[in-house]
Amino acid sequence: MRSELPKNYALLYDIVRGAGHGVHFTMNELFAHAKRRQPRIGFSTVYRGVQRLRDAGCIDEIELPGNDGAVYELKGTPHAHFRCELCGRVQDVAFALSARTLGAIAESTGAQIAHTSVALSGRCRSCR
């Protein structure tokens, strides 16, 4: 996948992939990391690159209640997210809705479920 990406988009993928699973970036954080490695890169290039990586299935875009914007992470196995209401830290939680639960929801609503997202919020260990 990386070899098929334009140079600046590959840079963004390298940043996210290099951070590994469980690391969540805001758009501004990705821009800051990219700017350090490619000083002439513009915010709009980063924005377009992130959208392309998301659409290609390389990274996930997570929108959490209480966040000003989405956060982005390396694509991985299904999991939930916890956001601390005090410090804003986002962390992965080993939880996903079972196929049985999703099937029951789909059946009862008549919907075809294409994507799920579980978001938890409260106070993290450090802020408690």
Side-chain angles (χ1 to χ4, degrees):
M1 171 65 192
R2 187 192 185 291
S3 62
E4 300 168 16
L5 295 170
K7 179 180 167 187
N8 288 330
Y9 297 176
L11 168 66
L12 295 169
Y13 184 59
D14 287 346
I15 291 166
V16 176
R17 189 180 59 190
H21 293 283
V23 178
H24 306 89
F25 293 96
T26 65
M27 189 69 72
N28 286 333
E29 289 168 337
L30 281 170
F31 175 62
H33 281 276
K35 192 91 170 149
R36 281 194 290 277
R37 291 175 56 182
Q38 183 70 35
R40 297 178 58 99
I41 198 167
F43 187 83
S44 61
T45 300
V46 171
Y47 181 85
R48 285 190 308 272
V50 167
Q51 302 312 305
R52 182 165 177 188
L53 291 169
R54 180 204 60 205
D55 294 347
C58 298
I59 63 174
D60 281 330
E61 178 179 69
I62 299 108
E63 295 188 29
L64 298 168
N67 255 17
D68 291 335
V71 292
Y72 302 88
E73 70 178 349
L74 189 61
K75 189 82 162 171
T77 59
H79 58 276
H81 293 93
F82 174 84
R83 181 185 171 278
C84 179
E85 295 171 338
L86 292 179
C87 70
R89 181 173 173 238
V90 176
Q91 63 188 85
D92 289 349
V93 177
F95 174 81
L97 294 171
S98 70
R100 183 178 187 174
T101 299
L102 290 174
I105 293 169
E107 185 176 325
S108 70
T109 62
Q112 180 181 8
I113 299 172
H115 175 76
T116 63
S117 177
V118 177
L120 308 163
S121 64
R123 292 185 180 181
C124 69
R125 184 180 311 225
S126 298
C127 292
R128 287 186 25 206

